[in-house]
Amino acid sequence: MSKSSPRRPFGRNTGTVTVIEAKVHRSSARNARLAFILTAVIVGLLSAVVAASSMHPILALFIGALIGALSGGLAWVLVRIWPVLRLLWWWTTEIGITIVLGAAWVQLANHTPLPVTLVVVALVVGVPAAVPVTRRALVAWTWCLVVRHRLRVCFAQFIIANQSGSLPLILWATPTPVGERVWVYLRPGLSMADLEGRLDRIAVACHAATALVERASDGNAAYLRFDIKRREVLTATVGSPLVDVIDPATPATDRAMPVVPTALDLPDVDAPVITLPVQKKPATTANGSKPGASSSSSDADDVSDWI
Amino acid sequence: MTTATAPTSGVPVGPGLSMFDPIFVGIDEFGQPVYITLAYRNLLAGGEPGGGKSGLLNCIAAHAALSVDSRLVLLDGKLVELGQWEDCADAFIGPDITEALTVLRRLQVVMNNRYAWLRAHGRRKLTAADNLSVITVLVDEIAFYSATVGSKQEQEEFVALLRDLVARGRAAGIPVVAATQRPSFDIIPTSLRDLFGYRAAFRCTTPNSSNIVLGHGWAEQGYTATDIQPTNQGAAYLIAEGGVPRRIKVAYLTDNQIAGIADYATWIRRPATGNRTEWEIAA
């Protein structure tokens, strides 16, 4: 690409929204060229070899070149639009839901009079919203969609992965009583330890209280599980099933009445008379100062806590 | 849940629990019951006062009391936390380190005898089929015995005996469950603390304290007991089966429920306490 080429349409000063970063754009162009050449050469040669069995080799070579160029062009287009495809893939669920809802609305509006349409919509929207169970389930699943995007933002914004900027594969998410659980497959360049140091920022990005990350597979360090916590559920008192095991008609044990102490308040207790053993005066050094040592005991945590 | 139906005919038999059964200690964040199998494990509970350590100890004591193959040895410097189990316990030690040392020495002898017995049978650990009782040693407030009461020598002997039990008692069916507020090196030696396989961290004030209970490095990975609300008593991080701390809520027994279970446990042990049965002698 020549240096005098005009600014790209995705540049910063053109007033358009930057969909693809300049760096990614450049590498995308290079990758596309590479994909074109590789695909064209391989497919072209193979086609020529296959075609040569039924026609003249020179003719087969031309046919091979044609097929190779077509396949290479397809590969070039795919690689060039890959960032957009990826974006569409990330939002597949939302796009799908929107299309389904839109189509349903259009069909409903076309086939029923307005009052019926409104009643149906009110029922479809209102009943799940009014029933607590379905409302909570809907909200929880909505959070799952949100959290996947928020995690992607985390990875793209402040978890630097590798030179080509590839993001981890953010797999499915399920609601849990405390929040969401998201499975992630890391690409080369990241490890669980990298993520552990950023859990507080991940929690902030996901609008959650805390976030935890742990291995989802014993055999694969790339397969991780995020636990996003946004609710405290362990607040109710938990009963023990052992209470139901016992026979309530059990006779109470006869206990000998223990001696009940009487001096239960401060004035009832006299100061104990303690005879201290005669202590030697602490030795002083020549300059009169007390010897050091024995002053190192402090309540603060020190390194020997861990030894 | 590992509960059996209660005998309704008034026959003085145990409800069929065993110390080799999983012990129900509470629920986790997903509402699932949390069990620990204590027969071959030791548990250390830590956390600030009022966090719920005694609730966990009482939960385990209740299971042990209702187990037919179990004996309870209780050491409670506060008298009241485990005091209700006194009648169904084989030993209940209050704030008296001499008695505590005596019972620990007895336990050490039992442990040695059991290992000799196992060796004579060419075995390596006790199983439920051996008809030997699991002697659960519950210590509330280790700090009281190891750093507060008694002379320096007595405290050191207490720690040494306890360490021996924790280190060797596992396969002999003598699990130790200990609770203390902050098991730092000045309360119990690190060499003793690190022997406990299961850890339960109730609310702590600093991530460092949480790390002392759970083990070094967990706070940095996001598992810190400082994020437990002070009002949420009984919530804890538990490292047991699985090896990763789990947020749990410990089942709570009221005083009346404990009294009921203790009475029942005492009652089903009545024949055993009257005349020494075969398995009691074997133990």
Side-chain angles (χ1 to χ4, degrees), chain B residues 52-243:
Chain B
K53 297 185 296 292
S54 301
L56 178 65
L57 255 59
N58 273 314
C59 229
I60 294 168
H63 185 102
L66 292 178
S67 298
V68 284
D69 56 354
S70 151
R71 281 170 188 285
L72 273 172
V73 173
L74 308 174
L75 287 87
D76 182 4
K78 259 163 84 182
L79 280 177
V80 290
E81 297 292 0
L82 299 169
Q84 286 176 289
W85 304 106
E86 182 173 3
D87 292 315
C88 52
D90 284 72
F92 178 79
I93 313 297
D96 186 341
I97 195 163
T98 318
E99 283 184 38
L101 288 173
T102 310
V103 78
L104 286 183
R105 285 193 205 103
R106 279 175 64 203
L107 282 168
Q108 196 181 31
V109 173
V110 170
M111 179 172 67
N112 288 335
N113 291 348
R114 284 188 174 190
Y115 276 121
W117 182 86
L118 281 171
R119 181 162 183 262
H121 287 81
R123 300 246 314 279
R124 292 198 300 167
K125 69 176 181 183
L126 221 66
T127 61
D130 287 326
N131 275 346
L132 284 172
S133 59
V134 173
I135 306 174
T136 312
V137 183
L138 292 167
V139 191
D140 199 2
E141 280 314 322
I142 296 188
F144 181 77
Y145 299 102
S146 68
T148 310
V149 77
S151 67
K152 192 83 183 159
Q153 285 82 7
E154 285 174 321
Q155 292 173 359
E156 280 174 4
E157 190 184 356
F158 178 86
V159 168
L161 285 168
L162 195 67
R163 174 163 43 210
D164 188 32
L165 277 185
V166 175
R168 294 197 296 143
R170 206 178 67 83
I174 307 182
V176 178
V177 179
T180 190
Q181 285 160 10
R182 191 176 186 274
S184 52
F185 71 103
D186 49 342
I187 303 299
I188 59 171
T190 320
S191 56
L192 168 57
R193 185 183 73 208
D194 289 348
L195 293 178
F196 286 90
Y198 289 176
R199 311 294 187 92
F202 292 86
R203 186 186 144 71
C204 293
T205 41
T206 63
N208 203 355
S209 297
S210 175
N211 262 347
I212 287 177
V213 184
L214 289 176
H216 186 44
W218 283 116
E220 289 72 25
Q221 295 179 37
Y223 301 95
T224 166
T226 47
D227 63 14
I228 297 171
Q229 293 295 317
T231 49
N232 194 2
Q233 285 192 345
Y237 278 101
L238 175 76
I239 304 184
E241 286 94 354

Side-chain angles (χ1 to χ4, degrees), chain A:
Chain A
M1 207 170 281
S2 70
K3 278 180 184 171
S4 61
S5 65
R7 265 180 188 282
R8 293 193 185 86
F10 296 125
R12 225 168 251 179
N13 295 336
T14 53
T16 54
V17 181
T18 306
V19 177
I20 304 162
E21 294 284 335
K23 204 176 97 185
V24 178
H25 192 75
R26 222 173 8 252
S27 79
S28 158
R30 200 174 55 234
N31 289 346
R33 220 165 29 239
L34 212 65
F36 174 80
I37 294 168
L38 274 177
T39 318
V41 168
I42 292 171
V43 174
L45 279 178
L46 279 175
S47 315
V49 167
V50 171
S53 63
S54 58
M55 62 184 74
H56 193 273
I58 293 174
L59 214 57
L61 211 61
F62 276 110
I63 298 234
L66 189 68
I67 295 177
L70 283 177
S71 320
L74 202 67
W76 184 86
V77 169
L78 267 180
V79 173
R80 272 330 281 267
I81 64 167
W82 176 247
V84 179
L85 286 184
R86 198 169 58 172
L87 210 64
L88 288 177
W89 170 247
W90 288 343
W91 292 89
T92 310
T93 323
E94 286 82 353
I95 293 169
I97 291 172
T98 313
I99 288 174
V100 167
L101 287 181
W105 165 255
V106 169
Q107 291 294 321
L108 195 70
N110 283 347
H111 291 86
T112 51
L114 186 64
V116 179
T117 312
L118 290 179
V119 166
V120 169
V121 168
L123 283 178
V124 166
V125 175
V127 170
V131 180
V133 179
T134 52
R135 186 177 63 231
R136 277 197 290 271
L138 279 175
V139 170
W141 282 105
T142 311
W143 268 114
C144 284
L145 291 178
V146 173
V147 156
R148 291 179 77 240
H149 292 298
R150 298 310 297 172
L151 270 183
R152 189 170 300 115
V153 169
C154 293
F155 283 117
Q157 294 294 323
F158 60 84
I159 304 176
I160 299 141
N162 49 27
Q163 286 190 347
S164 63
S166 55
L167 300 180
L169 301 175
I170 296 170
L171 307 173
W172 53 91
T174 54
T176 63
V178 288
E180 297 83 35
R181 180 169 275 190
V182 190
W183 281 263
V184 169
Y185 197 90
L186 297 185
R187 308 282 279 273
L190 268 181
S191 74
M192 199 171 107
D194 294 330
L195 303 175
E196 276 165 358
R198 298 178 167 100
L199 287 174
D200 46 350
R201 277 182 276 173
I202 292 176
V204 169
C206 295
H207 315 296
T210 54
L212 290 176
V213 61
E214 55 189 49
R215 291 269 289 266
S217 151
D218 287 335
N220 192 342
Y223 190 33
L224 301 181
R225 193 172 64 199
F226 277 94
D227 263 319
I228 313 292
K229 301 189 179 184
R230 56 182 85 251
R231 286 181 289 274
E232 175 63 82
V233 287
L234 295 173
T235 47
T237 305
V238 178
S240 172
L242 293 177
V243 177
D244 307 325
V245 174
I246 61 165
D247 182 4
T250 311
T253 312
D254 294 325
R255 292 185 182 85
M257 192 63 183
V259 181
V260 179
T262 47
L264 298 179
D265 212 344
L266 191 58
D268 305 334
V269 181
D270 297 325
V273 182
I274 300 171
T275 49
L276 288 170
V278 183
Q279 285 184 333
K280 273 197 278 182
K281 268 193 161 184
T284 51
T285 51
N287 60 5
S289 65
K290 283 186 180 172
S294 79
S295 61
S296 60
S297 65
S298 64
D299 280 347
D301 294 319
D302 60 1
V303 79
S304 49
D305 253 357
W306 306 105
I307 297 168

